[in-house]
Amino acid sequence: MGAGAASGAGKAKRMPRAVREQQMLDAAVRIFGRRGYRAASMDEIAEVAGVSKPLVYLYLNSKEELFTAVIRREARALVSAVRAGAEPKAPADARLWAGLRAFFLHTAENPDGWSVLHRQARTHGEPFAAEVTVMREEMVAFVTLLIAAAAREAHSSEPELASRDVGGLAQALVGAAESLADWANATEGVSAKEAAATLMNFAWVGLGKLREGERWMPGGMPGGMLGG
Amino acid sequence: MGAGAASGAGKAKRMPRAVREQQMLDAAVRIFGRRGYRAASMDEIAEVAGVSKPLVYLYLNSKEELFTAVIRREARALVSAVRAGAEPKAPADARLWAGLRAFFLHTAENPDGWSVLHRQARTHGEPFAAEVTVMREEMVAFVTLLIAAAAREAHSSEPELASRDVGGLAQALVGAAESLADWANATEGVSAKEAAATLMNFAWVGLGKLREGERWMPGGMPGGMLGG
Amino acid sequence: MGAGAASGAGKAKRMPRAVREQQMLDAAVRIFGRRGYRAASMDEIAEVAGVSKPLVYLYLNSKEELFTAVIRREARALVSAVRAGAEPKAPADARLWAGLRAFFLHTAENPDGWSVLHRQARTHGEPFAAEVTVMREEMVAFVTLLIAAAAREAHSSEPELASRDVGGLAQALVGAAESLADWANATEGVSAKEAAATLMNFAWVGLGKLREGERWMPGGMPGGMLGG
Amino acid sequence: MGAGAASGAGKAKRMPRAVREQQMLDAAVRIFGRRGYRAASMDEIAEVAGVSKPLVYLYLNSKEELFTAVIRREARALVSAVRAGAEPKAPADARLWAGLRAFFLHTAENPDGWSVLHRQARTHGEPFAAEVTVMREEMVAFVTLLIAAAAREAHSSEPELASRDVGGLAQALVGAAESLADWANATEGVSAKEAAATLMNFAWVGLGKLREGERWMPGGMPGGMLGG
DNA sequence: TATGAATGAGGATTCATTCAT
DNA sequence: AATGAATGAATCCTCATTCAT
């Protein structure tokens, strides 16, 4: 009780607000992530946090605000993780690779937080979905940026990819990443690195060819793009 | 109101069980899709269905069974739609294209059903998630099959894609499709066809190159794959 | 389907009212006896009776009336059984013995009916308890009569048992019989005859001595009645 | 309303859990005893207890547990009352007499509790019946013990009563007592003491004679046991 | 004679939230 | 800084009962 903050789930009483708040958010992430917003009960959250219910209300006001706080904290953590991986001066492909690795690693290490962001928050009405949308747009913007950077680095003579195409591609990439994160979390023996590699290969190679002007078209060129 | 049965959404009483059941499922898809499993109330479902609550219980037994019935009906409908698009004898790329188009069309036309399948069912515990997993695996299998078929049709001399790669790719593709479906649903002015095209381009081109042996590797070939 | 009434649980349609009614009462005895009045559902009764619910209402009007009808039928059956055993001209002890035997036999053979009379009917409010009270009073009266008859037959010179005493004794006897019926029903290997013998021994012997003027008194005669 | 805490059944708020719990149990005994398990509503119990329904659930968890708690409390109270009356060193007849008096007094003073134990608990399925069976067996054991003690005290030379006989007798006695308790409760002007005396006379005298070897037998000794 | 379709009313249980200390 | 005591408002589900045929 002298110097040093208590950490862990001990039954320490009378600790500073900031610490208590984090304990509550930790508990909330866990419960919300596992049970979902509606099924999570303030009772259980308070119990897991090791405090009384009124204290949760004193600090976080309501279930809705608590959930929002959780979403924000987790979103910030994920975005930070992804950003932290990418050195600003590295080439675009290296940055994408680093970002993907960080993404899969973070989601694998924080399954409850990932569940809150990817499943729960988007599943329950407007106050929350918006919160995640903001984060997702940051992600999409990040990827869009990298695609553009890649194009610049290639200083190719081919026409730019239309910005609408870029938007769709970024969406698809982020969606694929999200889906793979779930898959990696659920599938025994699929590591974050493998998931990242799978996606990177797929994305980068396809992206390159697209830039070279190849397209698939209904009716297709005979022999198709698969032909040798 | 003389002769002739009322048809349409009117307040007709006393209709055969099968009909009433579909009305209930329609209402349930809507409410579950918009509110989520927990937040949806049997009261509201009954009201929207235009019947009393006891009748809902008489026919569908419990909230859980009702939700399961909804999931099954919607899953079946989606799978059928996707399958219906693809002529069995067409080349693999045409079949994938048709499947994607059907997928985006169906999800766009049945946003509530899509929400139930993609968001709600997977968000709430084991009885339901499993139900969707079955469907999703059907989808992944379908895509995996097409990738393999594409390879065969190309009768190229290059080595087969490793089956692990194929698994990851199929996952990524399905995930990207799911994500794009949400995006198309939420974004004004993005049609199902465009979404399908974006993904098809991305997927098919990348796939072709992958089969040709191109890979992205950490550390990368200088100049990257984007270079001309 | 030709001549002869269908009996048993078959699915015969269109049978005379009297028969259908008995089927319903049979089902009702069973369900009421096992579940209790409140827990028994008209649904289950109708199902066990092999008819639709509206028919039960058509014939028996309401749950309350149905239960009353059941009580009456079972009460009548039990009283008849007890009376049937006792030849009017036999000596009092023989008649009591015969009555007891019949009682224990009937309750053993109709556990559901006995449950309805002894447990369920008396447990649920006034309309029903009264119904059983009538029957019980008949029983008590029967026993009272026998005690009196026994006294007459003994044409002893000792003073009559006070009528209040007789009342209490009859109550005690009937109560003991009821209790033993439950015990015999619940205890593996205790036959109706044994139960009857136990009670008869106990009752008749005690009765005899009481008539002879022996009494137990607080403070007791030293050595007590047990002394040799 | 000035200084001083309100005591009694007033609408005092905020009292310690233990107190509130007893109030709830008091209310529950009353409602369960009068209406029966199924017909009793948690709403009414809460109202009679002077609290809100959620508080009842907070403290007693469910209707089932509440009923069980009630049964246990009442059973314990009855057994204690019966035991308290009997001085361990007194002769067997005095102990039986004291026990009977206490029994009839307690049941007369707690008709709702007695109803719960004797009627309601035994009428509704297994979780509850078992609870009472335990208590009843304690009673039977108590009586059995006294019969045996009586035999010892008499140190007579006659053969012991067979243990099976003793079992049946104890059952009959307890059953008779239960039945008389109902009768005394229902009949204006029958006091606990009178009920006890009636039974004591009947039981003790009969018991004595039985020990002396008298028996009633089918076919009987001519003239019967009633004869002088 | 017989039933498929339908409901009003009520009951157990849970939950987010607030007082009073 | 922290909590034991307490509740209004839903929510799921069941049941006795009735129409219309």
Side-chain angles (χ1 to χ4, degrees):
Chain A
M1 262 192 207
S7 79
K11 264 278 169 177
K13 301 249 156 175
R14 305 248 154 198
M15 47 181 66
R17 172 161 182 159
V19 177
R20 272 274 193 261
E21 253 182 46
Q22 288 310 311
Q23 289 181 349
M24 291 176 194
L25 291 178
D26 289 344
V29 173
R30 189 165 159 179
I31 305 303
F32 281 134
R34 293 174 186 201
R35 308 241 187 288
Y37 178 64
R38 294 286 300 220
S41 91
M42 294 298 273
D43 261 304
E44 194 180 1
I45 291 173
E47 190 189 313
V48 169
V51 296
S52 71
K53 237 188 316 174
L55 200 59
V56 178
Y57 278 88
L58 189 61
Y59 287 173
L60 288 138
N61 304 317
S62 74
K63 196 184 190 185
E64 209 168 311
E65 283 188 38
L66 172 56
F67 193 44
T68 306
V70 164
I71 295 173
R72 285 206 182 122
R73 194 182 78 167
E74 295 306 308
R76 203 157 295 161
L78 177 53
V79 170
S80 296
V82 171
R83 284 237 174 85
E87 284 196 46
K89 298 183 178 167
D93 64 338
R95 280 155 77 198
L96 184 53
W97 169 243
L100 282 175
R101 277 227 313 188
F103 176 80
F104 286 113
L105 236 130
H106 186 89
T107 55
E109 280 171 354
N110 300 280
D112 293 332
W114 174 238
S115 165
V116 164
L117 291 176
H118 180 49
R119 287 208 182 327
Q120 311 305 345
R122 312 184 77 185
T123 308
H124 299 98
E126 247 329 290
F128 315 126
E131 214 66 45
V132 184
T133 299
V134 168
M135 177 204 70
R136 206 175 189 272
E137 269 159 10
E138 254 180 281
M139 296 284 206
V140 172
F142 178 67
V143 172
T144 307
L145 210 74
L146 292 183
I147 295 180
R152 227 176 303 112
E153 284 164 19
H155 42 71
S156 76
S157 50
E158 286 116 27
E160 291 272 321
L161 284 167
S163 82
R164 147 157 273 155
D165 274 1
V166 174
L169 283 176
Q171 284 289 343
L173 251 174
V174 171
E178 290 168 345
S179 183
L180 281 175
D182 279 359
W183 181 60
N185 266 358
T187 309
E188 204 60 35
V190 174
S191 73
K193 206 168 173 179
E194 285 169 314
T198 296
L199 188 55
M200 189 71 195
N201 256 322
F202 187 47
W204 208 247
V205 175
L207 220 50
K209 282 300 147 188
L210 278 180
R211 277 214 31 72
E212 288 171 16
E214 279 193 34
R215 288 289 185 285
W216 179 93
M217 310 189 80
M221 314 141 217
M225 269 131 287
L226 276 180
Chain B
M1 279 194 200
S7 80
K11 264 275 169 175
K13 301 255 155 176
R14 297 257 147 193
M15 44 184 67
R17 173 169 181 154
V19 176
R20 273 280 191 256
E21 257 182 38
Q22 288 310 313
Q23 292 180 345
M24 291 175 193
L25 290 178
D26 290 344
V29 173
R30 189 163 159 184
I31 305 301
F32 281 135
R34 293 174 186 202
R35 306 241 186 290
Y37 178 64
R38 297 285 302 225
S41 94
M42 295 298 272
D43 259 305
E44 194 181 1
I45 291 174
E47 190 187 314
V48 169
V51 297
S52 70
K53 229 186 326 172
L55 201 58
V56 179
Y57 278 91
L58 189 61
Y59 287 171
L60 287 138
N61 304 319
S62 72
K63 196 183 189 183
E64 207 167 312
E65 282 189 39
L66 172 55
F67 193 43
T68 306
V70 163
I71 295 173
R72 288 214 178 114
R73 194 182 76 166
E74 296 307 309
R76 202 158 296 162
L78 176 53
V79 169
S80 297
V82 170
R83 284 239 175 83
E87 283 197 47
K89 297 185 177 164
D93 62 340
R95 278 155 77 200
L96 184 54
W97 169 244
L100 282 175
R101 275 226 315 186
F103 175 80
F104 287 112
L105 236 133
H106 186 90
T107 54
E109 279 170 356
N110 300 281
D112 294 331
W114 174 240
S115 165
V116 164
L117 291 176
H118 180 49
R119 289 208 184 324
Q120 311 305 346
R122 312 184 77 185
T123 307
H124 298 99
E126 247 329 291
F128 315 126
E131 213 68 44
V132 184
T133 298
V134 168
M135 179 206 67
R136 203 176 192 271
E137 268 158 13
E138 250 179 286
M139 296 287 205
V140 172
F142 179 67
V143 171
T144 306
L145 208 77
L146 291 183
I147 296 179
R152 225 176 305 112
E153 284 165 19
H155 42 70
S156 74
S157 51
E158 287 113 27
E160 291 272 322
L161 284 168
S163 84
R164 148 156 268 154
D165 275 1
V166 174
L169 284 176
Q171 285 288 342
L173 250 174
V174 171
E178 290 168 346
S179 182
L180 280 175
D182 280 357
W183 180 62
N185 266 358
T187 310
E188 205 58 38
V190 175
S191 73
K193 206 168 173 180
E194 284 168 315
T198 296
L199 189 54
M200 189 70 194
N201 259 322
F202 186 48
W204 207 247
V205 176
L207 218 50
K209 283 302 149 189
L210 278 180
R211 278 209 44 29
E212 287 169 16
E214 278 193 36
R215 288 288 185 287
W216 179 93
M217 310 189 80
M221 316 140 214
M225 265 133 290
L226 275 181
Chain C
M1 257 187 215
S7 81
K11 264 276 168 175
K13 301 249 158 177
R14 305 249 153 198
M15 46 181 65
R17 171 161 183 157
V19 177
R20 273 274 193 257
E21 252 182 47
Q22 289 309 313
Q23 289 181 347
M24 291 176 194
L25 290 177
D26 289 344
V29 173
R30 188 163 160 181
I31 305 302
F32 281 134
R34 293 174 186 202
R35 307 239 186 289
Y37 177 62
R38 294 286 302 219
S41 90
M42 296 298 273
D43 260 303
E44 193 180 1
I45 291 173
E47 189 188 313
V48 169
V51 297
S52 71
K53 237 186 319 174
L55 200 59
V56 178
Y57 278 88
L58 189 61
Y59 286 173
L60 288 138
N61 304 318
S62 73
K63 195 184 190 183
E64 209 169 310
E65 282 188 40
L66 172 56
F67 192 44
T68 306
V70 163
I71 295 174
R72 284 206 183 120
R73 194 182 79 168
E74 295 306 308
R76 204 158 294 160
L78 177 54
V79 170
S80 297
V82 170
R83 284 238 174 83
E87 284 197 45
K89 298 185 180 167
D93 64 340
R95 279 154 76 199
L96 185 52
W97 169 243
L100 282 175
R101 277 228 311 187
F103 175 79
F104 286 112
L105 238 129
H106 186 88
T107 54
E109 279 170 356
N110 300 280
D112 293 333
W114 174 238
S115 165
V116 164
L117 291 176
H118 180 49
R119 287 207 183 326
Q120 311 306 344
R122 313 184 75 186
T123 307
H124 298 100
E126 248 329 289
F128 316 126
E131 213 67 44
V132 184
T133 299
V134 168
M135 177 205 69
R136 205 174 190 272
E137 269 159 12
E138 252 180 283
M139 296 286 205
V140 172
F142 178 67
V143 171
T144 307
L145 209 75
L146 291 184
I147 295 179
R152 226 177 303 113
E153 283 165 19
H155 44 70
S156 76
S157 51
E158 287 116 28
E160 291 271 322
L161 284 167
S163 84
R164 148 156 272 157
D165 274 1
V166 174
L169 283 177
Q171 285 289 343
L173 252 174
V174 171
E178 290 168 345
S179 182
L180 281 175
D182 279 0
W183 182 61
N185 265 0
T187 309
E188 205 58 36
V190 174
S191 74
K193 205 168 174 180
E194 284 169 315
T198 295
L199 188 55
M200 189 69 193
N201 255 321
F202 186 49
W204 208 247
V205 175
L207 220 49
K209 281 301 148 188
L210 277 180
R211 277 215 30 66
E212 288 171 16
E214 280 194 33
R215 288 290 185 285
W216 178 93
M217 309 191 80
M221 314 140 216
M225 268 132 287
L226 276 180
Chain D
M1 262 179 215
S7 80
K11 265 273 169 176
K13 301 255 154 174
R14 295 249 150 199
M15 45 182 68
R17 172 167 181 157
V19 176
R20 272 280 193 258
E21 257 183 38
Q22 288 309 313
Q23 291 180 346
M24 290 176 193
L25 290 178
D26 290 343
V29 173
R30 190 162 158 185
I31 304 304
F32 281 136
R34 293 174 186 200
R35 306 241 186 289
Y37 177 64
R38 296 287 301 225
S41 93
M42 294 299 272
D43 260 304
E44 193 180 2
I45 291 174
E47 190 187 314
V48 168
V51 296
S52 70
K53 233 187 321 173
L55 201 59
V56 179
Y57 278 90
L58 189 61
Y59 287 172
L60 288 138
N61 304 319
S62 72
K63 197 183 190 183
E64 205 168 314
E65 281 189 40
L66 172 56
F67 194 43
T68 305
V70 163
I71 295 173
R72 287 212 179 117
R73 195 183 76 167
E74 296 306 308
R76 202 158 296 163
L78 177 53
V79 169
S80 295
V82 170
R83 283 237 175 85
E87 285 197 44
K89 297 184 178 166
D93 63 340
R95 279 154 77 199
L96 184 53
W97 169 243
L100 282 175
R101 276 227 313 186
F103 176 80
F104 286 112
L105 237 132
H106 186 91
T107 54
E109 279 170 355
N110 301 280
D112 293 332
W114 174 240
S115 165
V116 164
L117 291 176
H118 181 49
R119 287 206 184 328
Q120 311 306 345
R122 311 185 78 185
T123 307
H124 298 98
E126 248 329 289
F128 315 126
E131 214 67 44
V132 185
T133 298
V134 168
M135 179 205 68
R136 204 175 191 270
E137 267 159 13
E138 250 179 286
M139 296 285 205
V140 172
F142 179 67
V143 171
T144 306
L145 209 77
L146 291 184
I147 295 179
R152 226 176 304 111
E153 283 164 19
H155 42 72
S156 76
S157 51
E158 286 114 29
E160 292 271 322
L161 285 167
S163 82
R164 147 157 270 155
D165 276 0
V166 174
L169 285 176
Q171 285 289 343
L173 250 174
V174 171
E178 290 168 345
S179 184
L180 281 176
D182 280 359
W183 181 62
N185 266 358
T187 310
E188 206 57 36
V190 174
S191 73
K193 206 168 174 180
E194 285 169 314
T198 296
L199 188 55
M200 189 71 194
N201 259 322
F202 186 48
W204 207 248
V205 176
L207 218 51
K209 284 301 149 190
L210 278 180
R211 278 210 40 41
E212 288 170 15
E214 277 192 37
R215 288 288 186 286
W216 179 93
M217 309 189 81
M221 314 141 217
M225 266 134 291
L226 274 182

